[in-house]
Each structure stands twice: as structure tokens, then as C-alpha cells.
Amino acid sequence: MKVYGDGMSACVARVLLCLHEKETEFELVPVDLFACHHKLPSFLSMNPFGQVPVLQDEDLTLFESRAITAYIAEKHKDKGTDLTRHADAKEAAIVKLWSEVESHHFNPAISAVIHHLIVVPLQGKTPDAAIVEENLEKLGKVLDVYEEKLGKTKYLAGDSYTLADLYHVPYTYYFMKTGHAGLVNDRPNVKAWWEDLCSRPAFLKVSPGLTVAPATN
Amino acid sequence: MAGIKVFGHAASISTRRVLLTLHEKNLDFELVHVDLKDGEHKKESFLSHNPFGKVPAFEDGDLKLFESRAITQYIAHRYEGQGTNLLQPDSKNLAHYAIMAMGMQVEAHQFDPLASKLAWEHVFKLIYGLTTDQAVVAEEEAKLAKVLDVYEARLKEFKYLAGDTFTLTDLHHIPAVQYLLETPTKKLFTERPHVNKWVAEITKRPASQKILQ
């Protein structure tokens, strides 16, 4: 398997976490985002939306990190961590549910904060404080729901670590380096969940690659 | 008997994704109306169904779900043997599974944010007595045009987004597409021949017609 991308990209990191959880060999092929190589025709032929990561597995070319991870989890469902609870239809549906929550409630808010606090300054521009504030508020409300859920189950979809938890890891890692880590640390169940996610061997292998330096406000 | 219940609004894009799936599967269900204009989805009685306060919520016996695309995938798998097959024809083919999963992510992350914003500006804002922001429309249409260029290239090669059969990947697009066809944004679909053909195919399906009633 080849993964095209850079380990500092949150979306690429999702795929790397999954590969490590599944104890699967892979090659990481660097794509220079700062030089806009992801917009070159050679890259667009793999992902016409011009985004990393891309996965190549023999004849198959895939993009969208959550589709790539779903594929890896399914292909290797009999080894490594059970990331999808595939043996039980109801549990599998609940994993999908919390994966959708990450996609539609958590990710839009946290990625907007990370974009303005980390990416925008790297482009030499000033972050839009209003957008940061608005999205911190949204993120807080999402984390309130997580706080309650994580008081009932150890992980989001139940008592096992699944893709639903994994999807949150890269952006949360960056977020905890901003000055707003309190949103996590002030919620005891969310904090405990986050600390658990950070203790996993797959995380310890991938986090050194998450190297984009944040602003601290 | 518990059966299938959908808690939602018959005009909501997300609720319609679920209704479409149930109709395609010929499944009986009860639609429990949630009065969005009245803020019912933010009240305690609904939050117990979905703590994020969004329609739809869903029950099948003792299984409770929310998030339309989690619900549709559950229905498609659980009732695989009945009604329209909404998964790939060869359910054991891993590559085909992956391509369908990818198409669903593209709908969720590339298409829907733009289509939903445009539906909000053109249609739903007016219901709430607000006015369309033409600057937002222009901006979002420019982005949607680029996405539909990718779709045009794909639909030149395949009849549907995940291959040659209709799947959840196509279905997830239908409710937003139906709204946008009633607005000036329609041109983005009609001026791309393969997209236009695909739109005609997916919207003429009996289930697609049923949700408009």
C-alpha cells in the first residue's frame, strides 16, 4: 500500500493511525503541499479534488481519508484492532453514527479553528478572530455532548476504540497545542478519553509527524 | 410492535435521505413530525433522540440512531435482501466497496456543504422570512461548478457515481439536487450533459417522486 501525503496533514495522519492500528505495511510517498504538488495534473489524476491523502493498493486508487480508513479496516478486519465492530450490525451502525458526528459536527468546528490559528499565520495572514470565536463556541457545544456520552461509555461508540474515536485524533492533537486546550481539559470525561487516545502505540508512532507549529492564541 | 420510526420533517434534506432509503427498500415506517419552525428539535423531548438537536432521528426496534448517512447505511445493510439493492452488486468485492465509500465521502465533504448552503439561500431562508444573499450564492455556485466538473468526468465513464448501478452514493445527493433544480442553480446541472442525465435518472425513480408528495 502507498499513501501519498505528508505526516503533518491531519487527514493523512488519520490514514497512518489506521494503518498502524491494523499492523499493515505501507510506504508514505511525500507530496509537497507548500509547493502545491497536490494541484499538479499528475496528482489530480489520482484525486481530482487535489487533496491528500491518496491511497494506492494494487489497482485501486482511493481518496477521502474516511473512505481510505474504512477500506483498510474492512480489508484487514481480521487483524489488529477491531476498528469497526463489524461482527455486530448494531454496534457497527453506532460506530458509523459517531463517525458521522465527527464528520459533520466536530470536524467543521475544529478544522476552522486550526485553519485560522495555524495555517493562516503560516500564509503570512492574520487570523479572523470572529471565526475562531464562533467555532470555539460550536466546538464547546459538541464537547458538551461528548462529555455526557463519555460518562456512559469509555469510547464514543461503546466500550471499544473504533474509527469513530480515531478520526478525532489528528486535529485534536493540534488543537491541544493552541491556547484553547481548556475546552478539552475542563471536561473530565473528554480529557480522560483524549489521554487514553494519546497512549495508544499507533498514536505514539504517528504524532511525531504532526509537526505544524501553532500560534498559541 | 416497535417497528421503524423516523423523527424528522418531510421537507428536510437530511430526513429525505432516510425516507428515500426506506421507500427504495419498500419498508414500512412511521414518520413522527418534528416541528422545526417551532424549535421542537432543540427541546428536551427531541434531544433525547439526538443530543445534537438535528433531524432526523431513527428507531428500528431497540436500535436508536441519528445522522442521516449512518441511518441509510444501516438500512441498506440490515435489509440487504429486500427492495432495491443500495450497495454494490457484488457485496464481497472490496475495491467496489471502497469506491462506494469514497463516493459517499465526496458527497458529504465536497458536494453537500455547497449544495446545502445554496438550498438554504434559495429556498429555506425564504420560508423563514429572510432574503437570499446573492454574493454567497455566486461564491458557492463557483465552488459547486468545480465539483460538478469532477462529477461530469466521472459520469462519462460510469452510469452512476460508484459504478454502473444505483447505490447509496447517488441516493445521498437526491434531496439537495431536487431542491436546487427548482432554483437558478439548476443551470450548473443542466449545462453538464452527463451530470444532467444522471440527475434525470436519479430524480425520476419512484422513491424520489414519493418524497416530494
Side-chain angles (χ1 to χ4, degrees), chain A residues 15-211:
Chain A
V15 173
L16 303 183
L17 283 168
C18 182
L19 287 162
H20 286 300
E21 289 285 350
K22 285 315 213 171
E23 299 158 11
T24 299
E25 296 285 310
F26 66 95
E27 183 193 338
L28 181 61
V29 179
V31 176
D32 191 340
L33 301 178
F34 292 106
C36 287
H37 286 179
H38 54 310
K39 305 295 176 188
L40 293 175
S42 52
F43 188 86
L44 295 174
S45 64
M46 293 194 296
N47 180 0
F49 295 100
Q51 291 170 332
V52 291
V54 168
L55 181 85
Q56 274 183 342
D57 186 16
E58 294 171 44
D59 288 340
L60 181 64
T61 301
L62 286 181
F63 51 89
E64 293 295 331
S65 65
R66 297 172 192 81
I68 294 170
T69 50
Y71 167 70
I72 294 164
E74 181 62 20
K75 182 174 182 180
H76 297 294
K77 63 185 174 194
D78 296 321
K79 74 170 176 176
T81 310
D82 176 6
L83 294 174
T84 59
R85 308 302 293 165
H86 56 91
D88 183 304
K90 286 181 182 172
E91 286 187 43
I94 292 171
V95 173
K96 289 242 159 80
L97 186 165
W98 288 95
S99 300
E100 290 294 307
V101 167
E102 182 275 329
S103 271
H104 297 288
H105 296 281
F106 181 86
N107 190 61
I110 200 168
S111 63
V113 171
I114 298 301
H115 180 75
H116 279 274
L117 292 185
I118 298 182
V119 178
V120 162
L122 282 175
Q123 295 169 334
K125 297 184 243 177
T126 324
D128 185 326
I131 293 183
V132 172
E133 198 49 50
E134 182 190 331
N135 283 287
L136 286 172
E137 201 183 317
K138 284 184 186 167
L139 186 57
K141 289 188 177 145
V142 172
L143 292 178
D144 285 340
V145 176
Y146 283 22
E147 181 65 11
E148 185 159 344
K149 182 65 166 79
L150 294 165
K152 297 177 193 164
T153 54
K154 187 173 182 198
Y155 297 99
L156 285 173
D159 289 318
S160 307
Y161 177 84
T162 66
L163 285 180
D165 307 286
L166 183 156
Y167 290 154
H168 291 78
V169 171
Y171 275 128
T172 306
Y173 179 79
Y174 280 133
F175 182 79
M176 294 306 281
K177 292 180 178 294
T178 70
H180 301 286
L183 256 70
V184 168
N185 290 332
D186 295 345
R187 291 172 172 83
N189 297 328
V190 174
K191 183 181 182 199
W193 169 72
W194 173 242
E195 285 170 357
D196 184 286
L197 301 188
C198 292
S199 69
R200 298 183 70 84
F203 175 83
L204 297 170
K205 293 192 173 119
V206 173
S207 56
L210 291 167
T211 54

Side-chain angles (χ1 to χ4, degrees), chain B residues 11-14 16-17 20 69 106-107 110-120 122-124 144 147-148 151 155 161 166 168-190 192 194-205 208-209 211-212:
Chain B
S12 135
I13 286 175
S14 303
R16 282 184 170 183
R17 264 187 213 110
L20 273 172
R69 297 171 189 83
V106 167
E107 182 275 329
Q110 310 288 351
F111 177 86
D112 184 67
L114 309 175
S116 290
K117 269 208 188 105
L118 286 163
W120 169 250
H122 280 306
V123 181
F124 297 107
L144 182 58
V147 171
L148 291 179
Y151 278 44
L155 292 164
L161 289 173
F166 178 80
L168 276 186
T169 303
D170 308 286
L171 183 152
H172 284 172
H173 292 79
I174 294 169
V177 164
Q178 284 177 324
Y179 275 116
L180 293 179
L181 289 177
E182 303 297 312
T183 74
T185 302
K186 176 181 182 173
K187 64 182 183 296
L188 296 186
F189 298 93
T190 56
R192 290 168 174 78
H194 295 88
V195 169
N196 190 41
K197 183 160 181 264
W198 168 75
V199 159
E201 282 294 316
I202 64 178
T203 54
K204 77 179 189 203
R205 297 178 67 87
S208 307
Q209 292 298 307
I211 60 167
L212 296 178

